[in-house]
Amino acid sequence: MSLTEDLNKFYVTTPIYYVNDVPHIGHAYTTVAADILARYNRLKGKKVFFLTGTDEHGQKVEKAAQEKGKTPQEHSDLMVENFKSLWQALNISNDAFIRTTDVDHIKTVQGIIQMLWDAGEIKKRQYSGWYCTPDERFWTEKEIVEGNCPDCGRPVEEIKEENYFFLMSKYQVRLINYIEDNPDYILPETRRNEVLGFLKNNELGDLCITRPKARLSWGVPIPFDQDFVTYVWFDALLNYFSATRYLAPEAEQAKLGDFWWPANHHIVGKDILTTHAVYWSTMLMALKFPLPDNIFAHGWWTVEGKKMSKSLGNVIDPAQIAEEYGRDAFRYFIFREVPFGLDGDFSEEAMAKRINTDLANDIGNLLSRTTKMIEKYRGGAVPEPVILKDRDLEKKLKAWFDNGSDTGIFKTYDAFLSKLQFNHALTHLWKIISEINEYIAASEPWKEKDDEMLSNILYTLAESQRILALYIFPYMPDTANKIWQHLGHDEDISTVNISKAGAWGGTTAGTKVQKGDPLFPRIDLKQKFKKDKASGTDKTEKLAPKPAAAKGSAPSSQEGPVDNLITINEFAKVELKVGKVLEAERVEGSNKLIKLQVDTGETRQIVAGIGKEYSPEDLTGKKIIVVTNLKPAKLMGVESRGMLLAATDSDGVLSILTPEKEIKQGASIK
Ligand code: MSP
């Protein structure tokens, strides 16, 4: 059982961001994730402490400040505002913002390093190693790659000096056991296995936690040797603890002492998992502090399969996207599109499409149809339901909202969010939305002659969306509140308790609905993306991937027919065959493309954009359907001769088509 499960508190953290980077989609991703969890747990009635902040010590900041003719403190004071204003723009509800230059943080770090020194957990040693300044960390001779950092690829410099070391190595076995005994400690499972693999196959070294002041002064002075400072990976990690001492909600802190520690979730990117899973965990062991319940490592965002970088000019500015498309749409998209542990590829066009389908259509239209019908048939007041009139149609829909049931909205959503499966929770909500849409189609209120039955239908529609808004709230707070306003509820959702407000029957008969502006205005995709391309000013040409309908390589582009009907002769031109996948591997540098060797009677190479949904191992040996008479095309420089068939539904689920029974490869499809 988790340590914090039975306490009515929820403590979630983001990494603290280096001040000298401008915030981008990667920073926004973690912070919105933490925000979703924080908002949801507040709805559940938990006492929540949501912490984010900035990491301000170290050589990088010192250098950047020097270049600008500023002190590191002045430089940090300026840069920190970029983060603070972005969090406001994205509607982030953090309870505190920690800066590692806060006096109280520094005091806590000094107290803790002294404790470890007194306990014999720290030793002074001569040290030589290869240092990567951008990552603020040392590498061994074996680890570096041709003079470069194995992580970021930038040059490393050799440094020899005396330093203080945290004796991390002695905790190796204990850490392995801890991770093995606590399956949810590191998630997702693939990352947990990576950490375990690393710990089992390598000898853990000790951790260098200081710098001589002579070389780096921008750190926390250590109390037992005035010539040294500690910084980044010691000072920074301790923020999670120090904040509970001086930034956590005061009353709680005073009353409950250690109430906030340990954290429920540390959310981090996959690149800084080792520092958290290994350095931080062993530091806590040495301090005899409890370990957090969970460290979750999310994937990275690329843009068109490439790492974001200033030099490529493809850095996505979340503030600009939120400004253009709405902050809720952005928050929705980044969590709907990609499972949290996996890498994702950002595309503005894909986002615009989702806004039109999932937001403007599925939910926006549903709400406006509902309020319009209530206006038309009941003068704008939600009618009294006549539950005795419930048919199977109503019963089926209401079953989704049965909080006692394991398949009801609360338990399902709660289970997904407790594992940080943000996209699954959204898929579930959208399944319910489509059920409500189907309910309208099936119940045909516009034809209903029985007055009581019509009242029942209208109530069912209003009430189901009222409840749904509660679950939408953590992801899209503005939208959820608008749904409530349209349905006649004035309360701010952030103040309600989900178990009470989420129970069926919360709408009082007579509540006046308000037909407001559409929740999400539709985007004219053709005009927007065509115009942008023609003007050559917009990033969309660069950002938007080819439409996802056909997942294999496409022939050179052709204008589509005016209508979508083709003759049988036209169809007969397409040569389709059953193929067997002999080999599969990822195309280097792409997280979407997989290169397949397929036997269709002859062996051919196909490149398919299915790498997010399928791994090469899933594919080897599979029988698939292949278009064999496509003109060869190159994808990321790799030749593709043909295209495999796959279907994608409105939830974005992608499935490869396979023959229904065993059939020889090469068989033709007619
Ligand atoms: N200061 C350290 C963290 C110390 S935590 C005690 C640091 N800062 S950072 O600003 O470089 O990175 C912060 C976070 O941004 C990391 O979790 C990293 O994974 C995330 N991202 C940076 N680029 C990213 C993407 N392209 N995509 C997703 N997240 C990415 O590391």
Side-chain angles (χ1 to χ4, degrees):
M1 194 178 105
S2 83
L3 288 162
T4 52
E5 206 173 315
D6 54 349
L7 291 175
N8 195 31
K9 69 103 186 166
F10 183 80
Y11 175 25
V12 61
T13 68
T14 73
I16 46 174
Y17 304 109
Y18 287 132
V19 268
N20 46 329
D21 233 0
V22 285
H24 56 60
I25 182 178
H27 305 115
Y29 193 40
T30 332
T31 311
V32 177
D35 190 56
I36 293 169
L37 295 180
R39 285 178 182 274
Y40 176 56
N41 278 281
R42 288 190 198 107
L43 283 188
K44 284 207 311 184
K46 297 230 174 190
K47 295 187 177 79
V48 170
F49 182 33
F50 165 19
L51 177 71
T52 187
T54 42
D55 190 352
E56 304 185 4
H57 288 124
Q59 206 165 330
K60 258 198 303 191
V61 177
E62 195 174 54
K63 267 191 183 167
Q66 258 165 20
E67 280 160 22
K68 290 187 179 140
K70 293 200 170 359
T71 64
Q73 186 67 58
E74 284 166 352
H75 174 67
S76 303
D77 290 348
L78 276 179
M79 299 294 283
V80 79
E81 294 308 319
N82 294 332
F83 287 92
K84 287 190 170 169
S85 63
L86 177 63
W87 302 150
Q88 268 195 349
L90 295 181
N91 210 358
I92 301 299
S93 65
N94 54 304
D95 298 289
F97 189 102
I98 190 167
R99 300 182 55 184
T100 51
T101 48
D102 290 349
V103 174
D104 288 300
H105 170 74
I106 292 173
K107 275 193 206 147
T108 312
V109 172
Q110 288 174 326
I112 281 182
I113 202 167
Q114 183 72 53
M115 268 167 73
L116 291 175
W117 174 250
D118 294 343
E121 301 281 350
I122 292 175
K123 288 274 173 301
K124 193 176 188 182
R125 276 188 204 148
Q126 177 69 31
Y127 182 70
S128 113
W130 295 90
Y131 192 64
C132 172
T133 309
D135 282 357
E136 305 274 16
R137 69 180 277 200
F138 274 108
W139 299 98
T140 62
E141 177 83 43
K142 257 193 351 215
E143 286 169 321
I144 60 169
V145 185
E146 292 167 1
N148 294 320
C149 168
D151 190 38
C152 70
R154 285 171 281 201
V156 288
E157 53 179 322
E158 193 179 15
I159 287 178
K160 284 197 178 96
E161 62 195 19
E162 276 212 300
N163 263 317
Y164 286 89
F165 284 76
F166 161 53
L167 305 182
M168 181 165 76
S169 54
K170 67 177 181 186
Y171 292 99
Q172 180 157 9
V173 174
R174 215 173 120 188
L175 182 57
I176 293 174
N177 292 340
Y178 191 87
I179 298 172
E180 283 186 332
D181 293 346
N182 294 277
D184 290 342
Y185 183 53
I186 297 169
L187 288 174
E189 207 184 329
T190 46
R191 300 279 169 214
R192 170 179 184 264
N193 294 339
E194 271 172 30
V195 174
L196 275 176
F198 166 80
L199 286 169
K200 286 179 175 174
N201 297 316
N202 295 281
E203 208 178 310
L204 202 58
D206 292 329
L207 185 66
C208 179
I209 55 169
T210 60
R211 295 287 171 268
K213 255 193 202 156
R215 186 164 69 78
L216 172 78
S217 58
W218 188 233
V220 177
I222 63 171
F224 46 87
D225 191 335
Q226 57 177 6
D227 293 333
F228 289 84
V229 295
T230 186
Y231 78 116
V232 179
W233 286 114
F234 188 81
D235 146 43
L237 287 164
L238 279 169
N239 90 87
Y240 301 134
F241 179 76
S242 67
T244 65
R245 298 326 230 202
Y246 71 98
L247 289 175
E250 261 174 68
E252 299 310 332
Q253 197 190 349
K255 266 196 304 225
L256 302 162
D258 273 341
F259 179 74
W260 290 109
W261 190 259
N264 297 65
H265 297 283
H266 290 317
I267 307 181
V268 299
K270 61 181 184 180
D271 56 315
I272 55 170
L273 177 59
T274 311
T275 53
H276 284 76
V278 181
Y279 301 2
W280 182 225
S281 306
T282 52
M283 278 164 69
L284 289 167
M285 284 176 174
L287 285 163
K288 303 188 173 51
F289 290 174
L291 269 57
D293 278 0
N294 164 254
I295 301 172
F296 194 104
H298 65 68
W300 266 45
W301 284 95
T302 51
V303 179
E304 266 294 87
K306 295 201 180 74
K307 208 170 160 171
M308 266 185 293
S309 82
K310 282 186 204 142
S311 52
L312 285 175
N314 65 350
V315 178
I316 301 287
D317 173 7
Q320 184 248 315
I321 297 282
E323 169 88 36
E324 191 169 344
Y325 295 92
R327 59 192 184 185
D328 275 9
F330 173 70
R331 291 170 60 115
Y332 172 78
F333 177 72
I334 52 178
F335 287 95
R336 179 65 180 82
E337 193 71 358
V338 182
F340 196 46
L342 300 184
D343 292 340
D345 199 35
F346 188 82
S347 143
E348 232 176 285
E349 193 166 346
M351 185 169 86
K353 279 184 184 156
R354 281 234 179 248
I355 293 176
N356 281 356
T357 52
D358 303 8
L359 302 181
N361 231 18
D362 295 346
I363 184 141
N365 270 355
L366 174 62
L367 182 69
S368 87
R369 287 174 82 188
T370 304
T371 50
K372 269 185 201 150
M373 286 194 285
I374 293 174
E375 288 210 333
K376 185 164 172 195
Y377 303 123
R378 292 294 181 268
V382 181
E384 184 91 50
V386 188
I387 295 165
L388 287 175
K389 289 256 166 183
D390 273 2
R391 304 159 293 187
D392 284 350
L393 275 180
E394 282 75 29
K395 285 182 189 144
K396 186 170 158 245
L397 187 65
K398 284 186 184 179
W400 290 94
F401 296 94
D402 177 357
N403 287 343
S405 139
D406 284 345
T407 52
I409 189 167
F410 177 74
K411 287 196 181 162
T412 318
Y413 182 94
D414 194 66
F416 285 138
L417 282 202
S418 71
K419 295 198 201 98
L420 280 68
Q421 293 175 338
F422 297 107
N423 68 323
H424 287 321
L426 284 177
T427 309
H428 190 75
L429 295 186
W430 257 253
K431 211 169 158 48
I432 299 177
I433 291 169
S434 90
E435 289 278 335
I436 306 175
N437 274 313
E438 278 168 29
Y439 171 69
I440 299 188
S443 62
E444 299 183 312
W446 49 91
K447 285 193 189 157
E448 186 57 64
K449 294 281 179 298
D450 178 337
D451 229 36
E452 287 183 343
M453 183 55 84
L454 180 57
S455 289
N456 223 17
I457 297 172
L458 296 175
Y459 187 91
T460 305
L461 286 173
E463 180 62 354
S464 54
Q465 287 165 74
R466 183 191 67 81
I467 297 177
L468 206 66
L470 290 164
Y471 294 87
I472 287 176
F473 175 79
Y475 294 83
M476 298 192 282
D478 296 335
T479 304
N481 273 317
K482 273 193 215 157
I483 297 175
W484 268 34
Q485 280 159 16
H486 287 213
L487 292 171
H489 309 287
D490 300 329
E491 259 173 302
D492 174 352
I493 295 189
S494 70
T495 62
V496 307
N497 183 302
I498 202 159
S499 64
K500 258 212 208 136
W504 189 270
T507 300
T508 323
T511 303
K512 280 274 188 192
V513 300
Q514 296 167 16
K515 220 172 49 184
D517 292 336
L519 287 183
F520 294 92
R522 285 184 72 80
I523 300 167
D524 184 339
L525 294 174
K526 257 197 186 150
Q527 208 218 349
K528 174 158 184 54
F529 291 96
K530 212 164 149 190
K531 194 179 100 218
D532 288 341
K533 281 174 191 174
S535 71
T537 54
D538 194 277
K539 50 271 148 203
T540 45
E541 181 150 25
K542 226 170 15 177
L543 300 182
K546 303 281 171 288
K551 283 285 170 180
S553 69
S556 56
S557 77
Q558 284 171 0
E559 284 302 320
V562 179
D563 60 39
N564 61 358
L565 300 179
I566 57 168
T567 65
I568 186 81
N569 289 343
E570 280 171 312
F571 178 67
K573 286 185 194 161
V574 182
E575 194 179 280
L576 293 165
K577 283 191 176 163
V578 173
K580 180 173 179 181
V581 179
L582 305 174
E583 279 170 35
E585 61 176 309
R586 291 193 182 275
V587 170
E588 223 182 290
S590 165
N591 58 4
K592 272 196 357 212
L593 298 180
I594 295 193
K595 186 168 79 178
L596 307 159
Q597 305 304 327
V598 185
D599 178 1
T600 52
E602 52 164 346
T603 304
R604 60 173 63 234
Q605 176 168 297
I606 290 177
V607 179
I610 52 174
K612 283 193 193 159
E613 297 83 3
Y614 290 89
S615 70
E617 301 78 64
D618 297 334
L619 298 165
T620 313
K622 246 197 183 28
K623 294 261 171 82
I624 55 173
I625 312 295
V626 180
V627 182
T628 49
N629 62 340
L630 272 185
K631 284 191 186 144
K634 278 198 171 166
L635 281 94
M636 284 189 76
V638 184
E639 173 156 278
S640 180
R641 289 178 51 234
M643 176 172 91
L644 67 76
L645 296 191
T648 315
D649 71 10
S650 59
D651 288 337
V653 176
L654 180 140
S655 171
I656 288 176
L657 304 189
T658 60
E660 184 263 331
K661 65 161 87 99
E662 191 42 43
I663 186 163
K664 280 190 199 139
Q665 54 263 42
S668 54
I669 297 163
K670 292 191 175 117

